[in-house]
Amino acid sequence: MDDLRHKYLDLISNAADEGALEDLRVQAVGKKGEISLKMRELGKMTPEERQVMGPKLNALKDEINSALAAKKVALADAALDERLKGEWLDVTLAGRARRQGTIHPVSQVMEEVTAIFADLGFSVAEGPQIETDWYNFDALNIPGHHPARAEMDTFYTHRAEGDNRPPHVLRTHTSPVQIRSMEKQGAPIRIICPGRVYRADYDQTHTPMFHQVEGLALDKDISMANLKWVLEEFFSAFFGTHVETRFRASHFPFTEPSAEVDIQCEWVDGQVKVGEGNDWLEVLGSGMVHPKVLEAGGIDPNEWQGFAFGIGIDRLAMLKYGIPDLRAFFDSDLRWLRHYGFASLDQPTLHGGLSR
Ligand code: PHE
């Protein structure tokens, strides 16, 4: 009995894991275990022998069972200690700072432009970037044979073979929103439409996607004088200083008369300063909405008239924030975005000076 006791207590205390421990349990106190077999022998003993051996065997079985249970707990504790060593975590360490994103200069400038024109009574209208050729061209008095179609470097969508309908286009300007807004609202109307436009062109000053903001004001007696005042008012608010403008006679199929507008600027060491000096930078096209365009929008040209303009937003952003290369606008380079981007709390307002 003593031999059995020593043997199993030794084996149990040296068991390497729970599996080995379970094997030992079966071997000692399982149905056919060594100690269980010994207990079966009690039946063949004399009552005197049984009276001595019975309690001894029971005590041995209990001792082995509690040694097994204790070892099981010890093994589990050791396993937990091991895990804690590997998964240890210092919860008192300072957190890692997460960088916040920034507002892209184009988005910022769109917000600024919207804030200024809202103050002048214009609301925001939008249209799709994939347009029918009717909205992008025909309705704007650019018929199929017109050279302006070719000049715009248009991206055309694909039509299935045998489908002879004219293909849709990626809008080449925001002017189709003029037509959509006239159809929807009628006259009088005062809207701006900021958005993306597309032309197949790529160099230092052109990217295949860029941004414009369209303006449209129709009423009974709106004239070029109103256009000039609105634009000068806009530029002075936008650049935060009085900006001279220069109107150059020009031609657009959808306006008559038409004018391209330059703003006053000066070049100092390769940097441009707006509102100073004797140089001029072209920033927009404009004019009085052509009667045919009003008709296409369902508006009677004998009753209503007004002006329209289209400003390049990216150009404005470069001028106001001194950003030299247009292509970097669309590279998604985080270093650039952190440098030129705006905090989300820089909400532009007129009384707040818009920005800075
Ligand atoms: N749509 C013209 C362009 O993209 C700009 C423009 C808009 C001109 C409205 C006149 C009136 O160049």
Side-chain angles (χ1 to χ4, degrees), residues 172-173 175 178 199 212 214 252 254-255 285-287 308-310:
T172 56
H173 49 183
S175 300
Q178 285 188 37
R199 290 181 203 175
Q212 290 188 331
E214 193 82 6
F252 298 103
F254 31 91
T255 45
S286 65
F309 58 81

Side-chain angles (χ1 to χ4, degrees), residues 118-140:
D119 195 57
L120 293 169
F122 288 72
S123 55
V124 172
E126 282 182 311
Q129 293 174 44
I130 300 172
E131 265 297 7
T132 65
D133 73 333
W134 190 80
Y135 278 111
N136 196 77
F137 295 123
D138 298 88
L140 292 162

Side-chain angles (χ1 to χ4, degrees), residues 36 102 109 125 136 150 163 167 183 196 232:
S36 312
T102 56
V109 166
N136 196 77
D163 186 341
E183 284 177 341
R196 294 181 170 187
E232 285 181 345

Side-chain angles (χ1 to χ4, degrees), residues 73-88:
V73 171
L75 281 174
D77 282 353
L80 182 61
D81 279 349
E82 200 56 38
R83 243 184 90 191
L84 285 175
K85 254 187 248 164
E87 295 175 16
W88 181 86

